[in-house]
Amino acid sequence: MTTTPYITIDLDKIEHNTRAITGLCNEHGIEVTGVTKVTCGHPEVAKAMLRGGVASIADSRLENIQRLKSAGIDTSFMLLRVPPLSAVDEVVESADLSLNSELAVLEGLSAAAIRSGKVHDVVLMVDLGDLREGIWIDEVIPFVREALKPGGVRIKGVGTNLACFAGVVPSEDNMNQLVKLANEIEHSFAITLEWISAINSSGLEMIASGRMPRRINHARIGEAILLGRETIHRKPWPDTFQDAFVLYAEILELKNKPSLPLGERSEDAFGRLTEFEDRGNVLRALINVGREDIDIEGITPLDSRIKILGGSSGYLVLDVSAVEGDISVGDELTFSLNYSALLTAMTSAYVKKYTL
Ligand SMILES: *Cc1c(COP(=O)(O)O)cnc(C)c1O
């Protein structure tokens, strides 16, 4: 029995989307690592990505990587979030590769790798302006000089992450800057960088339009596979599904009430003052998802006649006047999710997850 609220995960759609993305990237000499972090490292999702052609799996949390490994998934695992100095042994134990930007952490990883008799691969992250993780560009050469000293870690390549913190988009300028830097590292230290791991879902347009420099050969892709969208304009990506995930919630109360509150008003439960528009009486539905379950700003009713009026921790309030007669208490309503809503739904213990 399915109990509301829940989300359905269509694994065939995820596999199909993965194939569309890996097909495009592979054609351009780019290997794809599938990113599962927004699904909290869901093992069935990772398997669908692998069936669809990703070469490996990445997640930002060690717990998620450990869960994927316990589920018997046999691939190489990349830790996406720069590792904590306090957990270098666990990182080396669970992940084959991590993204790095601090020498102290590299030294810790080195010691941990030597202790466990392993070689741990690292990608050195370069900040090209999005101002999240990464070594600032003019500090990269001295950083690499130091990073080559400790044993047990192997520099697999350099990488960057864009369009996450500040929304900086990949361009020929910043991509070529990374390529140039990679060439400089190779010449200065007589090493070969196997990967230039420069893109996430925001880089697909550049690849498809043939503007991605040829040396960029690795991508870490989450959203485009899972939600079928590139992330610059959030346009649906060709030949992908946008509805691999659907949220279901149940109507708890259905009543005609005025559109204007009665009485003197102060802040709502979340400290907000909302303006209300008088539209006479409306048919309102209360459903059983709220801020404790999902980012309510990130969901859209699949029936476009239904409007979200707002929500609190446990309720969402809808205007369902346009579907009066078609719905009753106990009915399930369906919603699409954006990245933020998917992240919160997958993280919430109250939202069940069912794979199709
Ligand atoms: C989340 C993340 C990605 C994946 O980004 P999408 O936009 O979901 O493709 C790639 N790289 C890093 C470092 C990330 O944190």
Side-chain angles (χ1 to χ4, degrees):
M1 194 194 75
T2 49
T3 42
T4 54
Y6 62 94
I7 62 175
T8 53
I9 307 174
D10 189 324
L11 298 171
D12 288 340
K13 287 184 176 171
I14 292 172
E15 180 181 337
H16 176 97
N17 287 3
T18 310
R19 201 163 282 124
I21 304 297
T22 55
L24 169 76
C25 289
N26 294 350
E27 235 171 71
H28 289 79
I30 296 170
E31 178 179 324
V32 179
T33 294
V35 175
T36 53
K37 70 179 179 213
V38 73
T39 68
C40 299
H42 196 292
E44 294 305 319
V45 169
K47 286 184 200 164
M49 286 179 167
L50 287 163
R51 286 195 299 276
V54 300
S56 53
I57 294 290
D59 203 287
S60 55
R61 315 255 165 182
L62 274 182
E63 294 93 316
N64 292 348
I65 291 178
Q66 284 154 358
R67 179 174 327 104
L68 293 167
K69 292 178 87 160
S70 312
I73 295 171
D74 183 23
T75 185
S76 66
F77 289 98
M78 170 192 286
L79 180 65
L80 274 182
R81 187 167 61 172
V82 295
L85 187 53
S86 60
V88 287
D89 287 294
E90 291 85 341
V91 172
V92 168
E93 170 64 31
S94 298
D96 303 285
L97 183 149
S98 58
L99 306 182
N100 281 271
S101 62
E102 286 290 353
L103 274 177
V105 176
L106 276 183
E107 284 160 10
L109 290 171
S110 155
I114 290 167
R115 273 195 291 279
S116 65
K118 291 186 176 176
V119 173
H120 183 72
D121 278 340
V122 296
V123 166
L124 301 182
M125 293 301 276
V126 179
D127 189 343
L128 294 177
D130 199 51
L131 303 182
R132 202 179 72 178
E133 76 277 38
I135 309 154
W136 199 245
I137 198 143
D138 50 12
E139 290 163 11
V140 172
I141 295 292
F143 187 102
V144 174
R145 184 172 295 118
E146 293 307 309
L148 283 166
K149 289 180 186 162
V153 288
R154 185 175 74 106
I155 301 177
K156 173 122 171 157
V158 290
T160 195
N161 196 58
L162 295 172
C164 271
F165 178 71
V168 171
V169 299
S171 64
E172 275 150 290
D173 261 4
N174 54 33
M175 291 294 106
N176 278 317
Q177 206 176 4
L178 192 63
V179 170
K180 191 165 153 260
L181 191 66
N183 290 336
E184 200 180 328
I185 292 170
E186 290 186 326
H187 291 141
S188 308
F189 303 107
I191 57 172
T192 306
L193 297 174
E194 201 178 308
W195 273 1
I196 303 189
S197 179
I199 40 182
N200 52 29
S201 299
S202 67
L204 294 176
E205 278 192 337
M206 266 190 82
I207 300 174
S209 63
R211 289 179 298 125
M212 189 59 75
R214 289 170 56 91
R215 257 218 83 181
I216 306 289
N217 62 358
H218 182 254
R220 312 168 307 266
I221 307 278
E223 182 161 351
I225 289 175
L226 297 168
L227 294 175
R229 291 179 191 276
E230 52 78 37
T231 56
I232 296 180
H233 310 290
R234 290 239 148 55
K235 279 199 312 242
W237 192 254
D239 192 27
T240 62
F241 296 101
Q242 284 71 53
D243 60 351
F245 298 84
V246 175
L247 172 72
Y248 290 73
E250 180 173 340
I251 301 177
L252 307 173
E253 181 189 297
L254 188 64
K255 293 192 188 305
N256 257 299
K257 295 186 189 178
S259 44
L260 278 187
L262 298 182
E264 191 187 335
R265 294 181 53 230
S266 164
E267 295 177 341
D268 68 13
F270 290 85
R272 280 171 254 229
L273 276 171
T274 315
E275 289 301 317
F276 290 85
E277 186 196 340
D278 189 1
R279 292 181 291 120
N281 271 19
V282 293
L283 183 66
R284 303 160 75 91
L286 288 194
I287 62 170
N288 59 349
V289 278
R291 294 182 191 278
E292 205 165 10
D293 311 290
I294 45 148
D295 173 6
I296 65 170
E297 272 78 40
I299 62 171
T300 309
L302 290 186
D303 185 334
S304 60
R305 296 171 298 171
I306 297 175
K307 294 197 169 42
I308 297 175
L309 296 172
S312 53
S313 61
Y315 291 122
L316 204 61
V317 185
L318 310 173
D319 179 343
V320 290
S321 307
V323 290
E324 184 156 14
D326 294 344
I327 57 170
S328 6
V329 169
D331 283 359
E332 290 180 355
L333 298 180
T334 51
F335 299 83
S336 66
L337 303 99
N338 72 7
Y339 192 81
S340 171
L342 180 59
L343 176 69
T344 45
M346 292 301 296
T347 310
S348 172
Y350 304 107
V351 180
K352 283 115 209 142
K353 289 90 186 167
Y354 297 108
T355 50
L356 302 178

